[in-house]
Amino acid sequence: MDKFYVITNSEKDKDLRTTRRIYDYLREHGKACTVREYQRKGGEAGTGDFRYTDEAWIPEGTECILVLGGDGTLIQAARDTVNRRIPLLGINLGTLGYLAEIETSGVGDALDSLMAEQYTIEPRMMLEGRVYREGRETVQDIALNDIVVNRAGALRIIDYEVSVNGEPLNRYGADGMIISTPTGSTGYSLSAGGPIVSPMASMIVVTPICPHTLAARSIVLSGEDRVTIRLGPGHRAEHEEVFASFDGGGSVPMATGDYVEIEKSEKTVNILKISRISFLEVLRNKMNGN
């Protein structure tokens, strides 16, 4: 690889020490490197349909995107750049990183591997969700981790009617529902009691959030299934309101009768893997350390 693009979460690398180290190292080895610093509030990157970087900023011919931050930074950067299909490598500056596999101590070795073409590329499944109101599509978006439908306002149980491929599955009284990819199975879904799925699998995980029953469990579906979550009337036939979010951002309001259809997206995110450490070893190390 000869042409690199760096996306830095400056809240994680406040003095840009790691960013400068990477930039200088690549330039010293005769490689092209463009740096895009991101700040969550204000600034050029705070506008538009992107959250971390506009894909139009990425120079033509870029072979690798280096993302400095945590898993959240990598997820949002992946969403912003998915149409360019450029492989991403996450450098972990956060606390717990499953996606961002490189720690700051291993940056030099990782860059050497990239320049020597010693890596593999893992295509990761994404979800596509469409929100409907009165039969009309209002929002369409994609997610690498998960699509979450969660209550808004008062602390009360919400009824969610879940169907798969048009066939009713179950009705949940819960705070919300998480529909995750295998990549997202180690995120919010795991915190809500969901299973961990190998990231290269093609599956959809349905997990209720704080269900009001002892019998509710996560359900693992085929990646070819279509999941529909419809907001029910509530226990007192009241008008209920919830929000649908895609990878934790852009909350979309929903009300009783609205529904969201979720299925596997045609788009994928290419994640670079440098180390020969297996997913199981990464998982074991992360879980033992937390």
Side-chain angles (χ1 to χ4, degrees):
M1 288 183 170
D2 297 311
K3 297 181 179 179
F4 297 82
Y5 186 83
V6 179
I7 298 174
T8 296
N9 184 338
S10 52
E11 293 179 357
K12 302 286 187 180
D13 190 20
K14 296 188 179 191
D15 57 2
L16 299 183
R17 180 179 302 173
T18 304
T19 301
R20 291 193 184 95
R21 175 185 167 198
I22 290 172
Y23 178 84
D24 292 342
Y25 193 85
L26 290 172
R27 298 287 290 186
E28 288 169 3
H29 286 77
K31 308 302 179 182
C33 180
T34 302
V35 174
R36 171 60 58 177
E37 179 185 349
Y38 168 78
Q39 292 180 330
R40 186 174 299 276
K41 295 181 180 179
E44 184 182 14
T47 60
D49 295 330
F50 51 89
R51 194 169 167 186
Y52 276 65
T53 192
D54 186 341
E55 62 182 22
W57 294 338
I58 304 174
E60 290 297 326
T62 296
E63 299 171 274
C64 173
I65 298 176
L66 301 171
V67 184
L68 280 68
D71 281 359
T73 310
L74 183 56
I75 289 167
Q76 294 301 333
R79 285 165 51 86
D80 291 340
T81 64
V82 65
N83 293 321
R84 295 291 295 271
R85 301 186 61 82
I86 302 171
L88 298 97
L89 179 68
I91 298 172
N92 185 34
L93 305 180
T95 54
L96 181 63
Y98 288 95
L99 274 174
E101 73 163 60
I102 305 300
E103 302 296 333
T104 53
S105 59
V107 165
D109 290 340
L111 295 178
D112 288 341
S113 295
L114 292 175
M115 290 186 287
E117 307 291 339
Q118 297 173 349
Y119 57 82
T120 58
I121 297 177
E122 294 183 349
R124 298 292 183 91
M125 168 185 166
M126 299 189 79
L127 295 174
E128 181 175 290
R130 294 181 172 87
V131 178
Y132 291 86
R133 172 164 291 179
E134 297 179 351
R136 295 193 302 269
E137 180 181 320
T138 60
V139 173
Q140 182 273 330
D141 205 347
I142 56 175
L144 173 59
N145 241 27
D146 52 39
I147 298 174
V148 178
V149 183
N150 208 346
R151 61 172 171 74
L155 299 177
R156 60 174 177 269
I157 300 297
I158 305 291
D159 281 340
Y160 300 94
E161 300 168 1
V162 180
S163 59
V164 179
N165 302 324
E167 181 178 350
L169 172 65
N170 199 1
R171 184 170 181 169
Y172 293 90
D175 281 359
M177 300 295 300
I178 304 169
I179 313 300
S180 80
T181 63
T183 297
S185 69
T186 54
Y188 193 9
S189 179
L190 177 63
S191 298
I196 295 175
V197 179
S198 174
M200 294 297 289
S202 178
M203 297 178 181
I204 297 174
V205 182
V206 180
T207 302
I209 305 171
C210 299
H212 195 61
T213 174
L214 296 176
R217 294 291 185 272
S218 295
I219 297 174
V220 181
L221 303 170
S222 163
E224 306 308 314
D225 288 328
R226 184 182 74 256
V227 180
T228 302
I229 300 177
R230 184 182 296 271
L231 184 58
H235 295 287
R236 293 175 289 182
E238 294 178 341
H239 176 81
E240 300 286 6
E241 294 183 349
V242 300
F243 287 103
S245 63
F246 296 77
D247 281 336
S251 295
V252 179
M254 295 176 62
T256 298
D258 295 351
Y259 62 95
V260 56
E261 287 189 346
I262 301 168
E263 59 188 343
K264 181 180 178 179
S265 173
E266 293 182 356
K267 299 178 180 180
T268 58
V269 171
N270 293 322
I271 300 295
L272 283 164
K273 185 172 179 60
I274 300 294
S275 70
R276 296 181 181 179
I277 299 176
S278 68
F279 169 69
L280 293 179
E281 185 173 348
V282 172
L283 182 64
R284 183 170 64 250
N285 292 338
K286 297 294 184 182
M287 295 183 73
N288 286 342
N290 290 273

